[in-house]
Amino acid sequence: MLAALLLAGCAGAAAGAWSKPGADAAATADAYRDCAALAETATRTDAQVDQDIAASRAADLQRASIMRAQAQQTAETGRDRAAAIVGSCMEAKGFTRRPQ
């Protein structure tokens, strides 16, 4: 859920990183939202599994500093996977990433 909110919040700025001949800003934003929704759906199960594991082992993990590192790694992996899905989806729709 958090990933969806983050993706939705960044959709306008992130959609601006993509271009396609003949596509205006609204069409680009629509395509980006579609791709972000696809990424959220694809990563939701992994996030829920990680959340369930953390909840079931809360006492163990809270005592260990490894929980913070593991949570950060999980978040980074999910974010990277979502970004890759969005990128592939946008490219499949004919968009190219603008140089930064």
Side-chain angles (χ1 to χ4, degrees):
M1 186 67 141
L2 178 60
L5 292 174
L6 291 174
L7 284 172
C10 298
W18 294 92
S19 64
K20 177 180 175 179
D24 63 6
T28 304
D30 286 345
Y32 187 87
R33 277 191 295 276
D34 289 345
C35 292
L38 176 68
E40 196 277 327
T41 299
T43 58
R44 180 183 309 136
T45 299
D46 292 342
Q48 289 172 338
V49 167
D50 291 337
Q51 185 178 31
D52 288 348
I53 290 169
S56 68
R57 298 192 56 214
D60 295 339
L61 294 174
Q62 285 177 355
R63 286 191 288 268
S65 62
I66 196 165
M67 176 162 176
R68 285 184 294 279
Q70 183 178 3
Q72 182 178 359
Q73 181 180 5
T74 299
E76 290 171 3
T77 300
R79 185 175 52 247
D80 292 347
R81 183 168 176 236
I85 292 168
V86 169
S88 294
C89 177
M90 290 296 285
E91 289 171 0
K93 290 177 179 274
F95 288 87
T96 57
R97 190 179 299 271
R98 292 182 181 180
Q100 294 183 7

